[in-house]
């Protein structure tokens, strides 16, 4: 059963919210209580804990309204994520402070401006803000400077004014400020790496909309003739179901375009293309989803080459997802994906002249699988965390892991890298690509002896295959939040609509 999603704004205000793709889900939100509000206060306390501070003032600037360069038109508004994490406020021109000792969260909203209200609609009022958000006090922006001055004059000795960027210091304050711009960002990144129940609900909802939009593409793909139609229908489905923003530029790449990892021109003909790699994910209340499906234009793989690569990537993804649980080191999954890719490409004759260990040690698999296995997903599509699951560490053991280390994303991480924790949401997105540029470059590398370039050339028209799902680490294993059809179900949908 399908129904319209409530808009994100109605959701924030919500009394009764109906949001479903495949089934109804009714949630009651009672205004005037903290029930079902964005858990801003809890986030503020978590961040203070990560800071290890018992006093001090956290200061966060929201996104101001800014015009496009040399234009009277405003830049599309996108809220600052650090500000949102401690407020849940998706409105421009606001500021936030959190007094750690007093446990006092204060939102500053724009002063009422009659001209602006007539032309653009009223800005967030103090009363509405107090009602909608999990905030202790709401004041006008004109109170910000006196409030900061008052805090500065009364502050406990050695307490800091915590900010993410010094450049955001409000005008007119004394020049000698107790600024601390080193600790807040890492503390917030650490807090944001593990999601709470509310955040998981948002990411799940973003995935529902994206999964529906991917399904709609499969249902219509046999009638489409250009990549632009894929982008158009994807946006149409998301926006008409309440998800106005995409978490990143849509990648609707047909055939060889799929070898370009961040292709986003999305304007080429689909005529005689063997497949489409569609990487597209909506946002829901500022939370991202990140979903890739690769499919043929008919319900059948057009030839053995495409089918073999799809099946190989499918196996890479399935085997890696199965291993997700608390305590897993993501490095081992990235390694596993490379191992499966190497075995598969040896069997297909793309690799030759060496065994698994030799090919692996040479680093040749990075020509075909050049990116990391995945990343955190949250307020950013490539979300922050205490330390990146794919980051290189100073004590990185090049002897052991060098071969699968990408010079672009420094993956994988080291054995000292963080383990997966309950509440993390990560993508698992293996891919295999046949880029003419990467292959030309590979010919000049020592590992060229392990690549059969004549065989690899047969796969160039495919471009590439990527399959990407968003996985929640749970107490007992994992939950796949992405429900977009893939594999045989995906092919059956395309066949059923032709
Ligand atoms: N869509 C960007 C990514 O998959 O990381
Ligand atoms: Mn991704
Ligand atoms: Mn993606």
């Amino acid at each position: 059963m399908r129904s319209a999603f409530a808009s994100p704004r109605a959701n924030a205000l919500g009394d009764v919210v109906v949001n479903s793709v495949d089934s109804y889900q009714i949630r009651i939100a009672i205004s005037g209580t903290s029930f079902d509000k964005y858990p801003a206060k809890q986030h503020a306390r978590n961040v203070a804990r990560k800071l290890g501070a018992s006093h001090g003032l956290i200061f966060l600037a929201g996104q101001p309204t800014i015009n496009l360069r040399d234009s009277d038109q405003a830049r599309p508004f996108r809220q600052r994520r650090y500000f949102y994490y401690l407020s849940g406020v998706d409105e421009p021109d606001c500021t936030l402070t959190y007094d750690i000792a007093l446990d006092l969260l204060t939102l500053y909203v724009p002063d009422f401006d009659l001209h602006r209200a007539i032309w653009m609609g009223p800005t967030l009022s103090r009363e509405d803000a107090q009602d909608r958000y999990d905030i202790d006090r709401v004041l006008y922006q004109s109170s910000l400077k006196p409030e900061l001055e008052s805090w500065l004059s009364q502050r406990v000795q050695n307490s800091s004014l915590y900010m993410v960027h010094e450049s955001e210091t409000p005008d007119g304050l004394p020049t000698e400020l107790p600024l601390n711009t080193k600790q807040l960002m890492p503390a917030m990144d650490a807090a944001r790496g593990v999601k709470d129940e509310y955040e998981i609900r948002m990411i799940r909802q973003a995935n529902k909309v994206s999964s529906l939009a991917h399904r709609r593409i499969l249902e219509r793909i046999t009638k489409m003739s250009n990549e632009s139609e894929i982008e158009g229908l994807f946006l149409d489905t998301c926006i008409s179901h309440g998800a106005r923003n995409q978490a990143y530029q849509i990648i609707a790449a047909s055939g060889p375009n799929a070898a370009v990892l961040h292709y986003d021109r999305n304007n080429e003909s689909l005529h005689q293309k063997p497949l489409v790699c569609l990487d597209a994910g909506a946002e829901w209340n500022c939370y991202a989803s990140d979903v890739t499906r690769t499919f043929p234009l008919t319900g059948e793989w057009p030839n053995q080459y495409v089918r073999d690569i799809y099946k190989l990537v499918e196996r890479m993804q399935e085997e890696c997802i199965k291993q997700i649980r608390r305590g897993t080191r993501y490095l081992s999954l990235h390694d596993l994906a490379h191992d499966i890719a190497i075995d598969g490409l040896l069997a297909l004759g793309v690799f030759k002249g060496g065994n698994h260990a030799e090919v692996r040690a040479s680093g040749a698999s990075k020509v075909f699988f050049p990116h990391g296995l995945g990343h955190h997903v949250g307020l950013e599509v490539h979300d922050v965390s205490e330390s990146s699951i794919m980051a290189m560490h100073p004590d990185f053991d090049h002897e052991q892991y060098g071969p699968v280390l990408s010079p672009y994303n420094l993956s994988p991480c080291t054995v000292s890298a963080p383990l997966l924790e309950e509440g993390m949401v990560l993508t698992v997105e293996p891919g295999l690509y046949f880029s003419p540029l990467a292959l030309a470059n590979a010919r000049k590398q020592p590992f060229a002896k392990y690549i059969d370039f004549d065989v690899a050339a047969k796969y160039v028209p495919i471009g590439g295959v990527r399959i990407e799902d968003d996985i929640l680490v749970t107490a007992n294993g994992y939950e796949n939040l992405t429900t977009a059809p893939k594999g045989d179900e995906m092919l059956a949908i395309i066949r059923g609509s032709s």
Side-chain angles (χ1 to χ4, degrees), residues 206-207 209-210 234 238 243 245-248 280-284 287-290:
N207 265 281
V209 181
S210 301
F234 196 91
C238 292
N245 297 323
Q246 294 292 304
Y248 52 92
E283 272 182 11
W284 189 263
Y287 281 85
S289 59
D290 189 3

Side-chain angles (χ1 to χ4, degrees), residues 218-251:
L218 299 175
E219 290 167 354
R220 295 286 309 165
I221 191 66
T222 58
K223 318 270 183 324
M224 292 183 182
S225 57
N226 195 285
E227 293 166 350
S228 58
E229 293 168 70
I230 300 174
E231 181 171 30
L233 180 58
F234 196 91
L235 284 172
D236 180 347
T237 310
C238 292
I239 293 172
S240 56
H241 286 81
R244 193 174 180 197
N245 297 323
Q246 294 292 304
Y248 52 92
Q249 288 289 330
I250 291 173
I251 299 166

